[in-house]
């Protein structure tokens, strides 16, 4: 199994898709309190935002900085959830692991003045027609291999 197929299985996309990843980062502050991650309206492409870390930047004040995410839940309704409450003296950074959301996603600095940097990956899943052909070729070669029998050992 290739690395691309491993990534594909984790994201819930079928095995005939190709997954590309790009670095994502945005900075939230009192001047720019929100960022909306949107995707192109293409039928064969799905966009995901995988959040990894949220951290305070240079010049952050001694105050609580709450970062909130707004996205669709499993029922297709928009919900807002606080994902980090950062403070320069006790918790300047939080690791979210692989917190994956389907576009559109809005990141908002709910309280505090920042700056807060949100980073992660922009994942793009596309239909991969070539993989269907290569899968068929793999099946044929496996069938051919099954028809070959091992050589018999000679007794001395």
């Amino acid at each position: 199994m290739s690395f691309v197929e491993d990534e594909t299985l984790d994201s819930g996309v079928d095995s005939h898709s190709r997954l590309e990843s790009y670095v994502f980062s945005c900075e939230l502050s009192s001047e720019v309190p929100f960022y909306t991650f949107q995707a192109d309206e293409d039928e064969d492409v799905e966009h995901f935002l995988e959040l990894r870390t949220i951290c305070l930047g240079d010049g952050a004040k001694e105050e609580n900085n709450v970062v909130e995410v707004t996205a669709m839940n499993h029922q297709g309704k928009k919900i807002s959830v606080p994902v980090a409450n950062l403070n320069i003296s006790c918790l300047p950074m939080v690791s979210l692991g692989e917190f994956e959301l389907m576009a559109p996603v809005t990141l908002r600095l709910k309280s505090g003045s920042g700056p807060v940097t949100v980073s992660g990956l922009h994942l793009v899943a596309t239909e991969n027609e070539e993989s269907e052909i290569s899968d068929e070729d793999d099946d044929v070669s496996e069938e051919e291999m099954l028809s070959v029998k091992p050589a018999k050992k000679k007794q001395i």
Side-chain angles (χ1 to χ4, degrees):
M1 186 177 276
S2 71
F3 176 75
V4 173
E5 289 174 337
D6 287 342
E7 287 289 332
T8 299
L9 293 175
D10 291 343
S11 67
V13 179
D14 70 24
S15 64
H16 297 295
S17 296
R18 190 177 84 193
L19 189 63
E20 297 174 337
S21 61
Y22 303 93
V23 175
F24 168 82
S25 179
C26 72
E27 185 175 279
L28 306 174
S29 65
S30 55
E31 291 83 32
V32 183
F34 70 92
Y35 175 84
T36 300
F37 171 80
Q38 293 184 334
D40 299 333
E41 295 294 324
D42 191 356
E43 292 180 15
D44 296 336
V45 179
E46 290 184 316
H47 294 266
F48 299 91
L49 181 59
E50 185 178 286
L51 301 178
R52 296 279 178 104
T53 60
I54 302 175
C55 64
L56 291 173
D58 281 341
K61 298 176 185 173
E62 183 65 42
E63 62 185 357
N64 285 350
N65 290 270
V66 177
V67 177
E68 177 183 80
V69 171
T70 302
M72 298 286 185
N73 68 6
H74 69 285
Q75 297 172 334
K77 296 180 182 178
K78 275 189 176 183
I79 61 168
S80 298
V81 178
V83 292
N85 186 352
L86 305 176
N87 190 299
I88 197 70
S89 64
C90 62
L91 187 63
M93 179 182 148
V94 65
S95 176
L96 298 173
E98 297 175 5
F99 186 51
E100 191 174 298
L101 301 161
M102 185 179 281
V105 176
T106 299
L107 303 162
R108 180 179 317 280
L109 187 58
K110 183 96 172 158
S111 70
S113 57
V116 175
T117 301
V118 180
S119 61
L121 295 175
H122 173 188
L123 303 173
V124 181
T126 57
E127 288 294 322
N128 190 1
E129 295 174 13
E130 294 174 8
S131 70
E132 293 176 16
I133 295 168
S134 66
D135 287 345
E136 291 173 7
D137 292 342
D138 289 344
D139 293 340
V140 171
S141 63
E142 287 177 16
E143 290 173 7
E144 290 173 0
M145 290 176 62
L146 292 176
S147 65
V148 176
K149 296 180 182 177
K152 294 183 180 180
K153 294 181 183 177
K154 293 183 180 179
Q155 292 183 357
I156 302 178

